[in-house]
Amino acid sequence: MNSARTGAAGLALTVLVAVGGCTLGGADAPQDATGRDDAVVDVPGDVTGAVTLQTWSLTPKYTAYVEGVIADFEATYPGTEVTWLDQPGDGYSEKVLAQAAAGELPDVTNLPPDFALPLAREGLIEDLSALDDTLADTYVPGAVDAYRYRGVEGVFGYPWYLTTDVNYWNTEMFEAAGLDPAAPPTSLEELVAQARTMKEATGAYLMSRKPGLGDFAAAGVPVLSADGTELTFNTPEAAAVLDVYRDAYAEGLLPDDVLTDAYLGNSRLFAEGRVAWSTGGGNFIDSVLADNPALEGKITASPSIGATPLYVQGVSVSSQSRNQLTALALARFLTSAANQEAFAQQVPGVFPSTASSQEDAAPAGGGDTPQDVAKQIAFSHLATAQVLQPVEVDEAMTTIINQQLAAAIAGDRSSQEALDAAVEECNRLLADQ
């Protein structure tokens, strides 16, 4: 879900005016082909005619699912015809920008929030909050907020499917250090304290990554101004968080190479059984065990420390669509609770964004294996999870931030100096977006 960031530079585009007065409401909607009444909506006009749906790298694995949804939509709305395009994973953001620049953006397009941002700024995708008065009540708040952009009024995507992170702990390493894996750290301070105990007892590492912008946001630090024009994470509170990591590194509680290009990464080291903590989605254990079956039965999960991060996929409606009513109906149909829940059953580790789905434990599955528990923890926090790193922060800014944080942790400059430098450099880039 951590997608490449894209900017809005180079968009010289013609924007067509949206259909005035078109809103969606679901009060008296008929049932869809699944027997649920949440996939279809009343619209002030006929839902008919041809539209195009574009997804991102879903073929061939999920071809049958998408084709089934399309068939149900066409059966629910006689006279409609959906053409499905699926683009490969590599270069997708550039493909979408090229389509938009050429006036060829599909009617409904799969866009994560960062890919949707430049199109929203240029008025190329619809403000769905102005067209669908059920939007805020239908999807979990954090997923809707993911498509709200500072400085741009509106909501520019229907949330589709979600993932979030939980903490994972190596129980064998905990027990070897005399720590209780059933009582893992719940705060940064506890994390450092248990890392110290583990290092002193066994020489092993519990902590194995440097912080990022999301760690400041998780700790409650405002990282972007309300109007979206300035990054604001150079606060004493953020410096205090960075100081904790700097002191832990100086104490030898993190691997020496964590600040270098030679660092293998926290997830890789965890999968190799070399560190005792990592973070990942609800199906992370499965990928770890595929790489290292020896860790079977040696992994436990717990909620994220601080605010829970949210990762969002969604669909947006082109403002250039010649068949807006049908495009809106299709986007809503695809992201209905019934269709999202069916998709979540096929895709390990993803969950529905629909609010009604959070009231039923079915999307999280049952059972009491470590994998089951991890998925249940991830699912149970969706209603309050948030996108922690602003989508306005692109790859160039992330590089600057990482360089400055590394300098602070290494002791080359103070935490406050590093944060001030990062904010100053990133705000220059932000002003050019």
Side-chain angles (χ1 to χ4, degrees), residues 32 34 36 38-39 65 69 135 138-140 143 158-163 311-315 331-347 350-358 362-363 379 382:
D32 73 342
T34 66
R36 296 279 291 270
D38 57 342
Y65 171 79
V69 171
L135 177 65
T138 301
Y139 307 92
V140 297
Y158 280 117
W160 190 2
Y161 54 93
L162 313 175
T163 62
Y311 308 103
V312 183
Q313 281 286 352
V315 292
R332 178 62 178 268
F333 191 93
L334 177 66
T335 61
S336 70
N339 286 323
Q340 288 208 50
E341 288 166 16
F343 193 50
Q345 292 300 312
Q346 297 191 30
V347 188
V350 307
F351 303 104
S353 64
T354 38
S356 64
S357 301
Q358 314 309 309
F379 178 74
L382 289 176

Side-chain angles (χ1 to χ4, degrees), residues 45-309:
D46 293 332
V47 176
T48 189
V51 289
T52 302
L53 167 67
Q54 177 167 282
T55 57
W56 183 13
S57 193
L58 293 185
T59 58
K61 191 169 185 179
Y62 304 110
T63 296
Y65 171 79
V66 177
E67 289 180 344
V69 171
I70 290 172
D72 284 347
F73 178 79
E74 292 174 342
T76 302
Y77 295 103
T80 58
E81 180 180 353
V82 179
T83 298
W84 176 31
L85 306 173
D86 187 67
Q87 300 292 347
D90 292 341
Y92 183 64
S93 62
E94 291 80 6
K95 173 68 174 180
V96 169
L97 290 176
Q99 289 173 319
E104 298 173 351
L105 192 67
D107 298 281
V108 180
T109 303
N110 176 193
L111 296 173
D114 51 344
F115 288 13
L117 172 60
L119 304 183
R121 284 174 169 164
E122 296 290 339
L124 294 171
I125 51 178
E126 293 288 3
D127 168 14
L128 298 175
S129 65
L131 302 175
D132 184 348
D133 58 15
T134 69
L135 177 65
D137 294 330
T138 301
Y139 307 92
V140 297
V144 175
D145 289 343
Y147 288 94
R148 299 185 195 273
Y149 305 115
R150 293 175 173 93
V152 186
E153 187 68 27
V155 178
F156 295 90
Y158 280 117
W160 190 2
Y161 54 93
L162 313 175
T163 62
T164 188
D165 280 347
V166 300
N167 284 319
Y168 291 94
W169 315 96
N170 183 310
T171 60
E172 186 175 54
M173 295 177 70
F174 264 67
E175 291 167 351
L179 295 168
D180 183 1
T186 60
S187 68
L188 180 57
E189 292 72 23
E190 290 180 8
L191 181 66
V192 172
Q194 294 198 28
R196 182 178 298 113
T197 297
M198 182 172 291
K199 189 71 187 302
E200 291 174 349
T202 67
Y205 293 106
L206 175 58
M207 301 173 65
S208 60
R209 67 173 181 85
K210 64 180 183 293
L213 195 57
D215 293 278
F216 299 139
V221 174
V223 296
L224 186 68
S225 64
D227 62 4
T229 61
E230 292 184 321
L231 289 161
T232 59
F233 59 88
N234 56 332
T235 65
E237 292 79 11
V241 172
L242 191 51
D243 283 344
V244 171
Y245 280 91
R246 180 201 63 198
D247 294 345
Y249 182 75
E251 194 178 340
L253 302 184
L254 289 89
D256 290 339
D257 64 352
V258 73
L259 305 180
T260 73
D261 292 338
Y263 181 58
L264 295 176
N266 172 251
S267 297
R268 169 84 174 274
L269 293 178
F270 184 85
E272 293 178 355
R274 295 166 59 186
V275 302
W277 170 52
S278 187
T279 60
N283 66 327
F284 179 67
I285 294 178
D286 292 330
S287 63
V288 170
L289 296 182
D291 293 335
N292 187 0
L295 290 178
E296 179 77 46
K298 301 175 183 178
I299 303 174
T300 189
S302 70
S304 295
I305 294 173
T308 302

